[in-house]
Structures are given as C-alpha cells and as structure tokens.
Amino acid sequence: MAFNLNRLKEVAKQPSEKEREEARFRDENRDWLLKSALIALEIHRYLRLNGMTQSQLAEKLGISPAMVTKLLSGKENLSLKTICGIERVIQFELLKVPSYEKGVFVKCDLTKMPEEDLEFKDGNQIFCKVIKMNEGTKSNKRAIAV
C-alpha cells in the first residue's frame, strides 16, 4: 500500500467552525442526547416487535410522521408530555423517577447512622426504607448519598 500524502492532508484537516460547533453541542448536551438515543432505540424495538410502521405510530400519538422521524433520530430534546404520550401508546415506562412513596432502596445501614446524619446534604436526596431493629417497626428515613 502506497503512502498517499494528499489523502492524509484531506483527512487530517482542521475542522470547520460548523463541525466545531456541532462537537461543542454534543459535548454540552451529552446527558440528554444519550437518554434521547436510548428512548429512540426502545421505540424502534417496539415498532419492530409489533410490526408497526412509523406512520401508524404517528397516528396513535396524534403527531406527524415527520415528528416520529425526529423522535427516532435520537437527537430530539423530548418533553415530559411527549415521553408520557409515547409511554401510553407503547405501554412501557421509558423514564423512571425515584419516588419517596414507592420506597426507593439503596445499600446503607441506617440503623447504625446517627440521627443527625439522616438529612439532606449538598442537594443529594436518597430515601431509604429501614427497619428499626430495636422497635421492630418499619419507617422511612432520609440519608445522604455516599
């Protein structure tokens, strides 16, 4: 294989301002872009498993086929309203939010933590269900994230 200097210069050229801006956008929005891509994959999976077309999904969601195409690109900043509409149609929860009422469990032994440590600190909120061994009753306590 011969060395091609022109091809190397073409490949190794400096990115354009547009390419740099796109890279900055991807970097700054990495978190929600990943979630959007994962949601798009779940929708693709649903369509495939149910033999449904994008047009049929658009009709069920009450949106245009062009919007479904955007959703399936995995690059759309979805609103909670849109996510809930999709969940209603595919009958599958795409987004889970920890809930105090449902009892989110984390690995921590709160029975050995001093009472003053069981509070919100630095905005980290974790709810634990613990059993008070000495009283034999269940209770909910707040714990710091560790």
Side-chain angles (χ1 to χ4, degrees):
M1 181 189 291
F3 182 74
N4 186 338
L5 184 60
N6 289 333
R7 177 72 179 131
L8 177 62
K9 286 179 181 178
E10 183 183 319
V11 173
K13 69 181 180 178
Q14 291 292 320
S16 69
E17 185 55 39
K18 181 181 178 187
E19 291 168 327
R20 279 193 289 272
E21 184 59 36
E22 288 172 355
R24 269 192 297 274
F25 176 82
R26 284 191 309 273
D27 190 49
E28 291 169 1
N29 298 287
R30 184 172 311 279
D31 295 339
W32 71 261
L33 283 168
L34 175 61
K35 286 185 172 88
S36 181
L38 293 172
I39 288 171
L41 287 172
E42 278 300 321
I43 297 170
H44 275 291
R45 183 176 149 294
Y46 173 82
L47 292 175
R48 188 181 69 249
L49 292 175
N50 291 283
M52 186 182 288
T53 66
Q54 291 182 24
S55 295
Q56 291 170 327
L57 179 63
E59 188 177 318
K60 283 189 171 198
L61 290 172
I63 61 176
S64 70
M67 185 60 191
V68 170
T69 300
K70 281 184 174 185
L71 294 174
L72 294 174
S73 74
K75 298 175 185 173
E76 199 63 22
N77 190 356
L78 306 171
S79 70
L80 291 173
K81 181 179 178 182
T82 302
I83 293 170
C84 289
I86 295 167
E87 288 176 335
R88 210 172 10 263
V89 168
I90 68 173
Q91 298 177 345
F92 181 80
E93 192 172 16
L94 296 169
L95 187 65
K96 294 187 182 204
V97 179
S99 170
Y100 179 74
E101 290 80 26
K102 291 181 181 176
V104 177
F105 295 89
V106 295
K107 283 189 173 182
C108 56
D109 187 357
L110 297 180
T111 58
K112 296 178 182 174
M113 293 179 73
E115 195 70 29
E116 61 271 9
D117 289 343
L118 300 176
E119 59 188 40
F120 295 106
K121 294 191 177 177
D122 299 324
N124 293 321
Q125 301 175 10
I126 295 180
F127 296 95
C128 299
K129 281 213 173 169
V130 297
I131 299 173
K132 290 185 178 180
M133 298 300 179
N134 56 351
E135 297 175 18
T137 60
K138 294 181 181 180
S139 69
N140 291 320
K141 298 247 181 178
R142 291 174 285 221
I144 58 172
V146 290

